[in-house]
Amino acid sequence: MITIEQSDDLVSVAVLGEFTLADFKELEEHLLYEIRFHGRPNLLLDLRGMVSYTLDVAWEELKFSRDHARDFGRIALVTSDQWIAWTAWLQRLFVDADIQVFDDDEQARMWATEGLAAKGEAPQTGEEGD
């Protein structure tokens, strides 16, 4: 199961349980809409709740990354899983985006939204008075 939230140019995604092909297709549709109508979004992927993913998701993600290699600004991954962190490092070879791995959701969100302030959009950290 996934949840998707949109704010400014940041797409926040949390994966819970198994990441299925239906989940990926839902995410893909949302991202394609953002790319087409709003330009290069930043992406925050919280994978701490992901238990597993199916092989067809891995294949679709690889194809999507290849087809949209230049369509993202920053990609922040929140995970403590070393395998996912290593995979993110490998993705840098195929995607022309700034990719960082974080243990903490707030740090990831702050990093992913840094570029938004320069465009006149205040990052949303969830705290008053920032």
Side-chain angles (χ1 to χ4, degrees), residues 76-118:
L77 293 173
V78 183
T79 185
S80 58
D81 185 313
Q82 291 303 313
W83 176 253
I84 294 173
W86 182 79
T87 303
W89 178 82
L90 249 180
Q91 276 294 84
R92 292 178 183 160
L93 300 173
F94 304 106
V95 177
D96 186 24
D98 196 0
I99 302 172
Q100 294 289 329
V101 177
F102 297 87
D103 291 326
D104 179 70
D105 179 69
E106 269 310 303
Q107 289 177 347
R109 185 173 301 280
M110 288 173 53
W111 178 81
T113 58
E114 275 180 359
L116 299 179

Side-chain angles (χ1 to χ4, degrees), residues 1-3 13-20 23 26 46 49-50 52:
M1 179 177 109
I2 64 169
T3 62
V13 179
V15 179
L16 305 168
E18 184 178 58
F19 192 22
T20 66
D23 295 331
E26 179 182 347
D46 186 343
M50 184 175 73
S52 64

Side-chain angles (χ1 to χ4, degrees), residues 1-14:
M1 179 177 109
I2 64 169
T3 62
I4 302 172
E5 294 179 12
Q6 178 71 44
S7 62
D8 300 323
D9 290 337
L10 179 66
V11 178
S12 300
V13 179

Side-chain angles (χ1 to χ4, degrees), residues 28-100:
E28 184 178 40
E29 286 179 29
H30 187 90
L31 293 174
L32 290 173
Y33 178 87
E34 286 303 310
I35 292 165
R36 181 174 179 159
F37 294 105
H38 299 113
R40 291 172 42 121
N42 291 332
L43 186 58
L44 172 64
L45 289 171
D46 186 343
L47 304 178
R48 293 173 295 179
M50 184 175 73
V51 175
S52 64
Y53 57 90
T54 59
L55 185 57
D56 50 356
V57 168
W59 178 247
E60 288 299 317
E61 194 278 331
L62 183 63
K63 292 190 314 185
F64 184 84
S65 295
R66 185 190 65 218
D67 292 343
H68 300 281
R70 291 177 165 54
D71 291 341
F72 295 93
R74 291 183 170 200
I75 301 173
L77 293 173
V78 183
T79 185
S80 58
D81 185 313
Q82 291 303 313
W83 176 253
I84 294 173
W86 182 79
T87 303
W89 178 82
L90 249 180
Q91 276 294 84
R92 292 178 183 160
L93 300 173
F94 304 106
V95 177
D96 186 24
D98 196 0
I99 302 172
Q100 294 289 329

